[in-house]
Amino acid sequence: MFARRPEAGPSNVAVTIDGQPSMARAGDSVAAAMLAAGLLACRTTPVSGAERGPFCMMGVCFDCLVTIDGNPNRQACLVAVRAGMRIERQSGPAAIPVEGEPSA
Amino acid sequence: MTIDERYDVAVVGAGAAGLAAASECARAGVATLLLDEQPSPGGQIYRSITTTPLADRRVLGSDYWYGEALVREFERAGAAYAPRSTVWAVTPEGGGFEAGVSSDGAARLVAVKRVILATGALERPFPIPGWTLPGVMMAGAAQILLKSSGLLPRGRIVLAGSGPLLYLLAAQLVRTDTRIERLLDTTPPARWRVAARHAFAFAVSPYLAKGLGLLREARRAARIVEHVEHLEALGDRRLSRVRYMAKGRSEEIIADLLLLHQGVVPNINLASAIGCAQRWDASQLAFIPVVDEWGASSVPGVSIAGDGAGIAGARAAEARGRLAGLHAACALGRLDPAERDRRARTSRSELARQARGRAFIDTLYRPAEPLRLPQGDTIVCRCEEITARQILDTVKLGCIGPNQMKSFLRCGMGPCQGRFCGLTVTELIAKARGVPPAEVGYYRLRFPVKPVTLGEIAALPQTEASVQAVARLAKSED
């Protein structure tokens, strides 16, 4: 659905998306990395369970909420990828991590 | 990047207006902090200008690359810069203001004497059936992916809507050999006649040549369907088809990606929560903060510059940013009024130049009512999944405005805080009641204007006063 321009250079930042290894380009937002990996949807809504994906890409719509390194409800379009980052799609309302307990 | 505890001026937003405002302040010797959500300066128009992988300058065009000089000027001016920082509150404190800021998951409070809001614009809601399906995005989103990550849409791409940005995106996609399946233009046919009375100003404005060039480019690569009146995104879990009606004929096409756009509107949430007065603008169909010729709002010490104070485009935003910066420097005693006025001259004439032809664009691209006011089961509030029918039902119950309505439905109370439904809701209620939108009003917005975790707030440094307040509370409960 989205393809990289050749001049964008190598995608050599290793992350995981739902546990699966994926390569992103340094400077990608998490949302851009997910779209580049072919994922149009990143969560289901807490209200009806409908699927949603990145919509505005500028921090306004909050449709691109995902769990990043165990922290839920992060705006994927505002967070840059980092090597080793764990990105997880969200299903319905996010569970609030409790301090001192390991995150899922 | 480290942020100090206090500055003279905080500028919110590092787009055209914010960069120019911060540069003017810093050059005048004002201790200035520029706060921005993005990882690099430029706002949305000059998005990723310092980092974009698109080396071929023809793709994004000279209007984009103009932003480079603006960033260079800002870097030389000596203001502090806090990227990846969200401002979620600005409250009066000790004769100035206290800004609540979150950066990388940690909150802090910054004391400032004055605030310049340069929060820019966001794309106008485009509430059609199916607009929440994955595979439907705003046109601006595709442009951001191109600028910041060198990502191009692939597959059957449909562009739909109206306004200069839609054709700019089409032209940029053409320049990258991206095939556009169809461009569905929703500009109403009668609009050209109405806009014609502003045609002379447009003809002598900077817009005409640019507009014609983009149109020519877009026509080369996309089949353009004009006078599209009805639009629907269809699919189960993902977008698979787009249905539209033009000149009385309905057609359905297969689509992988639908990119929507019908103009931009001011992003007023922060200004509104601070308490800056606003008015309904009937030509821009949006609420716009009331500002004077320097960008000063109704709240002393708070100025608003750029598209956040009414849509006028990037070059006008830069001029308005400079004026707001000079005004702040003068108010802080760093510039005398004569010097402020002298430095303001170039910006004032640029502003006048940019204003020419704006009425033509506003009139021509005023989105058609059926595409602003949805019906039936079409979702209006994306966050809480509230439909047009549900909103109209509350009007039948006697709700006279958005603030009553939201307590019935939670419409506008999700994480986006009404940014993608507020104008739709105001206009829907106004039409149902038969009164002007100004009388219906807008959501009452409160801090935090962006979500911040309780953990972040709890971790804020405690002042003596706040510790005393809690201690007294605990004592009285004993």
Side-chain angles (χ1 to χ4, degrees), chain A residues 1-5 7-8 25 28 32 35 40 45 47-48 51-52 54-63 78, chain B residues 38 53-55 121 132 134 136-138 141 145 149-154 237-238 256 382 385 415-416 450-451:
Chain A
M1 226 50 53
F2 284 90
R4 195 85 65 173
R5 289 269 289 176
E7 71 207 76
R25 178 187 169 272
D28 273 354
L35 290 168
L40 280 179
T45 65
V47 180
S48 72
E51 295 210 47
R52 288 286 173 87
F55 181 68
C56 79
M57 287 302 291
M58 53 182 274
V60 175
C61 74
F62 290 78
D63 267 326
L78 289 181
Chain B
Q38 299 302 329
L54 297 181
T132 51
V136 182
M137 297 173 84
M138 295 309 284
L145 287 163
S149 287
L151 285 171
L152 283 167
R154 281 282 178 265
R237 301 179 66 218
R238 294 286 182 283
D256 297 312
R382 299 173 62 91
E385 296 178 64
C416 102
K450 288 255 170 133

Side-chain angles (χ1 to χ4, degrees), chain B residues 187-262:
Chain B
T187 312
R191 214 36 77 60
W192 284 96
R193 284 199 300 280
V194 187
R197 63 188 144 96
H198 304 294
F200 178 73
F202 178 70
V204 297
S205 77
Y207 299 112
L208 178 64
K210 260 180 223 171
L212 289 177
L214 293 179
L215 203 60
R216 211 167 32 236
E217 277 188 278
R219 279 195 196 288
R220 271 212 327 261
R223 182 173 154 205
I224 300 179
V225 181
E226 285 179 322
H227 309 159
V228 171
E229 300 151 21
H230 179 83
L231 202 56
E232 251 176 281
L234 306 168
D236 173 37
R237 301 179 66 218
R238 294 286 182 283
L239 173 79
S240 61
R241 284 157 299 135
V242 173
R243 185 187 293 155
Y244 64 91
M245 172 110 74
K247 294 171 191 158
R249 268 189 51 215
S250 177
E251 198 161 342
E252 205 173 295
I253 52 173
I254 298 173
D256 297 312
L257 194 63
L258 171 62
L259 300 172
L260 298 171
H261 179 79
Q262 53 179 352

Side-chain angles (χ1 to χ4, degrees), chain A residues 9-10 14 20-21 23 29 32 39 45-46 66-67 69 84 88-89 96 101:
Chain A
Q20 299 298 310
M23 300 304 280
S29 65
L39 300 170
T45 65
V66 294
T67 299
D69 292 333
E88 288 159 292
R89 290 190 281 184
I96 296 169
E101 282 181 18

